[in-house]
Amino acid sequence: MGKSSILFAVFWAKMRYYLLKVKGHANIPDYVQVRDAQFTLVCYVRPGRTDKRTLLPPGLLQELSTVFPQLPYGQVQPVEWDPDRKILTLL
């Protein structure tokens, strides 16, 4: 197994993200923050408009959009993404 195989295997391991639903006021809509394992903001998206381009792995934003309606406002929800099987798990 060469260096590139090892890097590829590590890159496609399960990834942990944190979701935070932010309540909008008046004419400002609700938003969901998606943060990585280091708690760096990687995506800021409106729950009803998940068609934007992001740096998230392919398929993740579509899976996250199914979770958005059940998220409580102001609470951090950890999730784990398995890119090989395209499965999102709430933690």
Side-chain angles (χ1 to χ4, degrees):
M1 206 155 133
K3 276 186 177 179
S4 60
S5 327
I6 294 171
L7 288 175
F8 182 76
V10 170
F11 179 74
W12 288 108
K14 290 183 181 178
M15 296 178 251
R16 182 169 287 194
Y17 291 95
Y18 298 93
L19 308 177
L20 178 64
K21 190 172 182 181
V22 180
K23 179 81 171 150
H25 295 285
N27 62 348
I28 300 171
D30 296 349
Y31 274 90
V32 176
Q33 296 179 9
V34 181
R35 295 179 175 268
D36 65 9
Q38 291 77 35
F39 223 68
T40 304
L41 184 65
V42 292
C43 182
Y44 194 65
V45 63
R46 284 173 49 186
R49 301 189 69 193
T50 57
D51 55 342
K52 68 186 284 184
R53 275 188 247 167
T54 69
L55 297 175
L56 295 173
L60 177 58
L61 192 55
Q62 288 76 21
E63 286 296 317
L64 287 174
S65 67
T66 63
V67 177
F68 290 161
Q70 62 190 5
L71 288 175
Y73 289 102
Q75 293 181 7
V76 176
Q77 173 66 56
V79 295
E80 195 168 71
W81 171 247
D82 185 346
D84 296 329
R85 298 184 301 162
K86 303 236 186 271
I87 294 176
L88 183 71
T89 308
L90 297 175
L91 302 175

